[in-house]
Amino acid sequence: MSNDNKSIHDFDFSLICEYYASIERQGPGSPEATRKALGFVDHLTEDSKIADLGCGTGGQTMELARNTPGKITGIDLFPEFIDLFNGQARKLNLQHRVRGEVGSMDSLSFGANELDLIWSEGAIYNIGFERGLNEWRNFLKPGGFIAVTEISWFTQERPDEITAFWKDAYAETDTIPNKMAVMQKAGYIPVASFILPEYCWTENFYKPQVQAQELFLSKHKGNHTAEELVANQRHEAELYNRFKDWYGYVFYIGKKI
Ligand code: SAH
């Protein structure tokens, strides 16, 4: 029994990590959406400092690096993701200006007014949209930008089943105007918001998981936690297919004033 010293929690974590490390993206998105959001950000130079919070294995960070000057620090809680991230940076010969570090988005060690740009795709929900926008603002220079993606409702009303699912999964799920109001209240100019196209979920996020799930299940045959993890992911994908007219990911871009 090699897992004797591990708590159930650690074991869950390593399973979750193994599952997500096997796919290129850990959340919905696309290189085109990353570049589009970047189009709203100006004044970046070789001296700019950028942070990608909850960077995962770095899919979007490398796209960011290909399209911006400046130095990028990727922060993620999982060391395994950061190892893959740094391997990827080396492979693309970006290691001199892109570095991954293990850390938590709720206890960052950047200085006040240090950063020109904060990026976070599919990850701010871990700290909460409002709290993230408020706390991270301190690290941005005046005139600096923030760009995050966040699950949002597209309409004022929607079927109860999907409302209940997302309210339970993430209490801050809200409409786009309400999210923009939160951004403004936190001290940013709400520069832009746009809805990520459907393929960011279907082609780029859920489809690669189909094969990964088969491999994962055959490797962990009989493991209840692994089976539950896959069942949850499949349920989420099925809900997306049924209810995608009512919700999705939205990029929010703000400028600190
Ligand atoms: N930005 C990546 C990953 C999104 S998944 C992408 O779009 O593909 C969310 C990421 O947040 C995961 O990699 C997870 O490990 C990370 N994460 C969760 N809680 C965190 C925390 N407190 N601090 C930093 N990263 C965290």
Side-chain angles (χ1 to χ4, degrees):
M1 297 289 279
S2 59
N3 290 306
D4 276 357
N5 298 331
K6 288 186 175 178
S7 71
I8 290 290
H9 194 64
D10 289 335
F11 191 52
D12 283 356
F13 254 46
S14 70
L15 270 183
I16 292 169
C17 190
E18 181 193 322
Y19 180 85
Y20 280 107
S22 70
I23 49 180
E24 195 185 325
R25 307 193 62 94
Q26 289 78 46
S30 73
E32 300 79 35
T34 298
R35 291 198 301 272
K36 183 170 174 173
L38 197 53
F40 293 102
V41 176
D42 30 61
H43 306 313
L44 292 177
T45 68
E46 281 178 11
D47 297 324
S48 295
K49 285 191 182 175
I50 301 166
D52 184 356
L53 307 178
C55 59
T57 58
Q60 74 293 321
T61 328
M62 303 307 147
E63 188 58 23
L64 204 55
R66 277 191 279 259
N67 292 280
T68 44
K71 289 199 162 43
I72 308 180
T73 307
I75 304 278
D76 203 279
L77 207 51
F78 284 145
E80 290 85 347
F81 288 174
I82 292 299
D83 286 346
L84 289 168
F85 179 106
N86 284 325
Q88 193 62 11
R90 277 193 299 275
K91 209 162 114 190
L92 297 168
N93 202 25
L94 290 166
Q95 71 278 8
H96 49 286
R97 61 187 189 90
V98 179
R99 210 182 63 234
E101 287 175 13
V102 177
S104 185
M105 57 176 73
D106 56 15
S107 57
L108 295 165
S109 54
F110 299 109
N113 304 331
E114 185 182 337
L115 301 171
D116 296 273
L117 171 63
I118 291 178
W119 206 264
S120 186
E121 292 194 33
I124 195 172
Y125 72 89
N126 287 295
I127 186 173
F129 186 78
E130 186 167 13
R131 182 178 164 200
L133 289 183
N134 278 300
E135 287 188 14
W136 300 348
R137 186 179 178 279
N138 298 320
F139 304 118
L140 276 180
K141 288 177 187 162
F145 283 82
I146 188 161
V148 302
T149 59
E150 168 87 335
I151 191 113
S152 309
W153 300 126
F154 295 162
T155 56
Q156 196 61 35
E157 307 211 341
R158 62 208 84 84
D160 290 345
E161 185 181 349
I162 197 63
T163 304
F165 176 83
W166 279 107
K167 273 282 168 212
D168 182 48
Y170 180 50
E172 282 185 61
T173 313
D174 211 338
T175 60
I176 300 170
N178 286 349
K179 289 285 180 190
M180 291 295 259
V182 170
M183 180 170 252
Q184 178 159 310
K185 218 172 115 206
Y188 301 90
I189 298 172
V191 173
S193 71
F194 64 90
I195 295 174
L196 269 65
E198 235 175 84
Y199 73 87
C200 294
W201 294 75
T202 50
E203 290 300 306
N204 295 1
F205 186 50
Y206 290 135
K207 201 171 161 194
Q209 289 187 48
V210 173
Q211 205 194 358
Q213 285 164 353
E214 292 304 327
L215 286 170
F216 186 74
L217 285 178
S218 64
K219 188 174 167 199
H220 298 286
K221 233 185 177 86
N223 180 321
H224 184 64
T225 313
E227 284 167 0
E228 210 176 343
L229 175 63
V230 170
N232 280 342
Q233 290 307 115
R234 286 178 174 165
H235 180 55
E236 199 194 292
E238 185 198 308
L239 285 177
Y240 181 73
N241 276 323
R242 281 170 57 210
F243 295 111
K244 59 193 171 195
D245 287 346
W246 283 279
Y247 74 98
Y249 258 37
V250 174
F251 239 117
Y252 295 95
I253 298 105
K255 183 176 182 176
K256 177 176 171 178
I257 42 174

